[in-house]
Amino acid sequence: MGEGAEGPIPAEPGELLHDPAELAGAVRGPPSTDVQRGYARRMQSAGADPLVSVVVRTRNRPTLLREALRDIQAQEFQDFEIVLVDDGDDAADVEAVLDDLEELRGRVQLIDHTSGPHGRARAANAGLREARGSFVVLHDDDDSWSADFLAVTTAYLLAHPDAWAVATHTEVVVHRTDGESGEEREERVLLTPELRAITIPDMLKANRITTHSFLYRRAVHEEIGFLREDLPAHEDWEFYLRFIARHPIDLLPLPARAFWHHRPEAVGDQGNSVFVLDVDHESTQARIRDEEIRAAAARTGWGPALHLSHVAASMEKALDARAAQLRADHDDVRSRLEAIEARLDDLLRALGEVHRRVDETSELVMQRTSVGGMLRRVRSALRR
């Protein structure tokens, strides 16, 4: 360890300034001022690689990119680099954004991907291959974090050297435009609020992780490779399946620290992949499942798959029988309700007839009472 003006600085890239236990306190709060100064000294030390690489993908959305970069710059944890992959059509747009953000100069490694084949996975891999940090995280140009996201997740991996990845909960932020006023309003909802752990059974059913909620050790790419560039969608889910087959993925408790912004009304490059690539998501998920089943069959034969298919068929048959019984019960209840409604109609008609007769009788009584009174008054007058 060397000595700096305010204390020791690392002599070798990757050498830690603080004990992991000290940094683990960031899980319950932001790093101390001393820790922040340590990050700053480490960034200034000659030849030191950053601890974290934030790989940002952007495509023809300079306004959103500017907001995303400012959000990253505002992180409490500052020992990071930004590997910015321009997957758009005009490099000048991204360069103009960087020119406006002078405070990020020296922190951003720009990769011009405008002239090559485009694609989410290609852009991610281009950035990941150039990343220098021990820890990496993918961050799209429409994502955002809480200010302590990097502090908390980095502290966790430093305090748990056996852990290969950690994720936080994600909050979905839906942006809609009011039809009358034209003002934008936000709707916020927690993604998978019931999630308490990231498990293999859960991940086999559906993706439980957003890319920017997931900080992991870059060395895992030496084991399992990178994202598949032949998939038009769900490339992240397929990568997580390979990841979790080798290493557990830890989940931090609430609150959510990653924010996934949805713009359902946006189209083209401005839209979210979850909407724009809706058809691709469904077909690609089926393709991934089919490929994995085929690979398993090549290794072990069809025995396990046949057994599971039999179980699934039995469950489907039982569900069909239950559905048929529910439909029969529904039809029976509906028939009874119709019979009750018919009887009520008969009763209402009978009650109406009773009311009619009562009205007729009342009118007759009134008429007779009126005539009798008049005759009595006439007789009384004649006697006088």
Side-chain angles (χ1 to χ4, degrees):
M1 299 282 287
E3 289 290 326
E6 300 182 27
I9 60 174
E12 297 293 336
E15 186 177 355
L16 300 180
L17 284 167
H18 299 277
D19 184 81
E22 179 184 358
L23 290 175
V27 173
R28 289 175 290 277
S32 67
T33 303
D34 289 340
V35 173
Q36 288 282 54
R37 280 200 294 265
Y39 296 153
R41 290 198 305 275
R42 189 178 190 279
M43 289 297 295
Q44 293 167 1
S45 60
D49 287 335
L51 190 59
V52 177
S53 292
V54 182
V55 177
V56 178
R57 299 177 288 192
T58 186
R59 178 171 172 79
N60 301 332
R61 301 195 291 195
T63 301
L64 294 179
L65 174 63
R66 184 179 286 102
E67 295 175 2
L69 293 177
R70 284 175 174 159
D71 179 74
I72 296 170
Q73 175 64 19
Q75 286 291 296
E76 293 166 357
F77 180 91
Q78 287 288 301
D79 190 1
F80 66 83
E81 68 169 348
I82 297 174
V83 183
L84 177 57
V85 184
D86 182 3
D87 196 40
D89 301 316
D90 188 353
D93 289 342
V94 171
E95 292 171 358
V97 171
L98 294 179
D99 288 341
D100 290 342
L101 301 177
E102 294 183 3
E103 64 274 17
L104 285 177
R105 288 181 179 176
R107 305 284 301 269
V108 178
Q109 180 186 172
L110 177 60
I111 299 177
D112 186 347
H113 219 241
T114 57
S115 59
H118 296 306
R120 291 162 47 82
R122 287 190 179 93
N125 288 341
L128 291 169
R129 289 189 174 98
E130 296 299 323
R132 297 178 296 137
S134 298
F135 307 146
V136 292
V137 57
L138 284 174
H139 190 297
D140 285 333
D141 56 14
D142 59 350
D143 293 333
S144 64
W145 286 327
S146 63
D148 65 347
F149 174 84
L150 285 180
V152 172
T153 53
T154 300
Y156 185 89
L157 291 183
L158 289 173
H160 300 82
D162 293 334
W164 279 79
V166 63
T168 72
H169 283 270
T170 298
E171 187 176 69
V172 178
V173 184
V174 183
H175 300 264
R176 300 185 186 275
T177 303
D178 187 276
E180 296 182 0
S181 65
E183 295 181 356
E184 185 180 274
R185 55 186 174 85
E186 293 182 357
E187 301 169 5
R188 291 176 175 263
V189 61
L190 190 62
L191 185 68
T192 59
E194 75 285 356
L195 196 65
R196 296 294 178 269
I198 299 172
T199 64
I200 291 177
D202 259 352
M203 288 294 290
L204 289 174
K205 289 188 293 184
N207 189 3
R208 296 296 191 180
I209 306 170
T210 56
T211 53
H212 68 300
S213 71
F214 180 70
L215 184 76
Y216 63 99
R217 299 185 188 274
R218 181 167 56 91
V220 78
H221 290 295
E222 299 174 6
E223 289 185 60
I224 66 174
F226 292 83
L227 278 69
R228 283 181 51 179
E229 298 181 4
D230 62 318
L231 298 177
H234 277 305
E235 71 285 349
D236 50 349
W237 179 55
E238 193 277 336
F239 175 72
Y240 299 145
L241 290 177
R242 283 184 279 134
F243 195 114
I244 203 169
R246 297 288 191 96
H247 305 287
I249 298 174
D250 296 341
L251 176 69
L252 293 179
L254 290 168
R257 290 183 168 87
F259 304 103
W260 188 16
H261 297 265
H262 285 191
R263 295 171 176 81
E265 300 163 355
V267 295
D269 290 336
Q270 304 303 312
N272 297 92
S273 64
V274 69
F275 300 109
V276 177
L277 302 177
D278 184 51
V279 176
D280 287 338
H281 274 84
E282 186 174 346
S283 61
T284 304
Q285 189 178 61
R287 172 184 169 185
I288 292 169
R289 294 184 187 279
D290 194 61
E291 289 178 353
E292 290 298 323
I293 292 172
R294 186 180 297 108
R299 292 191 299 268
T300 63
W302 286 110
L306 287 172
H307 173 68
L308 290 175
S309 296
H310 173 70
V311 171
S314 299
M315 292 178 65
E316 186 176 354
K317 184 178 180 181
L319 287 172
D320 287 343
R322 180 57 179 159
Q325 183 61 49
L326 288 173
R327 285 194 296 270
D329 292 344
H330 176 268
D331 291 341
D332 181 58
V333 170
R334 185 173 60 183
S335 297
R336 293 185 182 187
L337 286 174
E338 289 173 350
I340 291 172
E341 288 176 356
R343 293 186 64 184
L344 284 174
D345 288 341
D346 292 341
L347 287 173
L348 288 173
R349 282 193 294 271
L351 185 59
E353 181 64 20
V354 169
H355 280 303
R356 186 184 65 78
R357 292 185 179 184
V358 168
D359 290 342
E360 290 177 350
T361 303
S362 298
E363 184 178 353
L364 181 61
V365 168
M366 289 178 65
Q367 290 175 355
R368 290 180 177 179
T369 302
S370 299
V371 172
M374 182 182 68
L375 290 174
R376 284 194 295 273
R377 287 194 296 272
V378 169
R379 284 196 296 268
S380 176
L382 291 173
R383 289 194 187 106
R384 296 177 187 168

